[in-house]
Amino acid sequence: STWISSSGKYINQFEENFSAFCQVNYGVAVSNGTVALHLALVALGICDGDEVIVPDLTFAATANTVIHAGATPVIVDIEKDSWCIDPVEIEKALSPKTKAIIPVHLYGQPCDMDSIMQIAKKYNLFVIEDCAEAHGAEYNGQKVGSFGDISCFSFYGNKIITTGEGGMCITRSKILYE
């Protein structure tokens, strides 16, 4: 029936509807949020010798997937009030090996995406939004997940939207989608 499987009309509908809800063009459903993060890193070509900036307050998968891709997580501090990654600390931690930033929208609280995107643009870095706990959250009227190159969601049983398990990568880029 393809009702529960890795392909079929229900998966396609879910990918299309969820990515549209997040204000982007494309979605790829995966088995969980950890896989979504790893897929994003691999799709962006993050590998041995690269560094990826991650916050010090997050689920272990954020840093573990960077390690699994062969790169090095560079852990930076969070903002006192939002508990999200501190853009000032991101800029301090940059090196010639830095290839990406993974801001984590923790507990539904959006990161300072204006500052993060300015840093990414200035230094030509990828942004992978970890939105595992922020389905539907907005930053300045724009859905989280619609800022970065690829954004990752989890649909585990304790998330805002659940499929029991599962995850998704969303993107505006047809090339990254493919």
Side-chain angles (χ1 to χ4, degrees):
S1 72
T2 72
W3 194 78
I4 298 178
S5 76
S6 58
S7 64
K9 73 177 187 176
Y10 296 107
I11 300 294
N12 295 342
Q13 286 174 354
F14 183 47
E15 291 170 339
E16 291 169 11
N17 291 339
F18 189 77
S19 58
F21 169 75
C22 294
Q23 303 168 333
V24 301
N25 303 14
Y26 306 102
V28 177
V30 295
S31 59
N32 58 53
T34 302
V35 169
L37 287 166
H38 184 249
L39 177 60
L41 290 159
V42 171
L44 293 169
I46 305 298
C47 60
D48 294 344
D50 294 338
E51 293 179 353
V52 178
I53 296 179
V54 300
D56 61 357
L57 181 59
T58 185
F59 183 63
T62 310
N64 287 347
T65 55
V66 173
I67 295 166
H68 188 63
T72 301
V74 176
I75 300 169
V76 302
D77 207 358
I78 57 169
E79 295 177 314
K80 178 182 169 186
D81 294 330
S82 72
W83 291 7
C84 291
I85 194 167
D86 187 336
V88 172
E89 298 301 318
I90 291 172
E91 201 151 18
K92 287 181 189 176
L94 295 175
S95 84
K97 294 181 178 183
T98 306
K99 300 293 186 234
I101 305 165
I102 304 180
V104 178
H105 305 292
L106 194 65
Y107 305 124
Q109 176 69 37
C111 297
D112 178 354
M113 292 310 296
D114 287 341
S115 297
I116 292 167
M117 295 309 293
Q118 286 173 2
I119 292 166
K121 184 177 180 179
K122 180 177 177 181
Y123 297 98
N124 195 29
L125 303 173
F126 294 116
V127 175
I128 302 168
E129 290 180 75
D130 183 334
C131 307
E133 298 180 351
H135 310 64
E138 294 184 358
Y139 175 81
N140 290 338
Q142 186 175 335
K143 298 276 189 191
V144 298
S146 65
F147 294 90
D149 296 282
I150 301 176
S151 299
C152 304
F153 289 83
S154 171
F155 303 110
Y156 187 67
N158 66 346
K159 300 301 187 251
I160 296 166
I161 298 173
T162 182
T163 58
E165 184 58 277
M168 190 173 301
C169 290
I170 63 171
T171 183
R172 294 182 188 280
S173 168
K174 185 174 184 182
I175 293 168
L176 290 174
Y177 166 72
E178 290 174 345

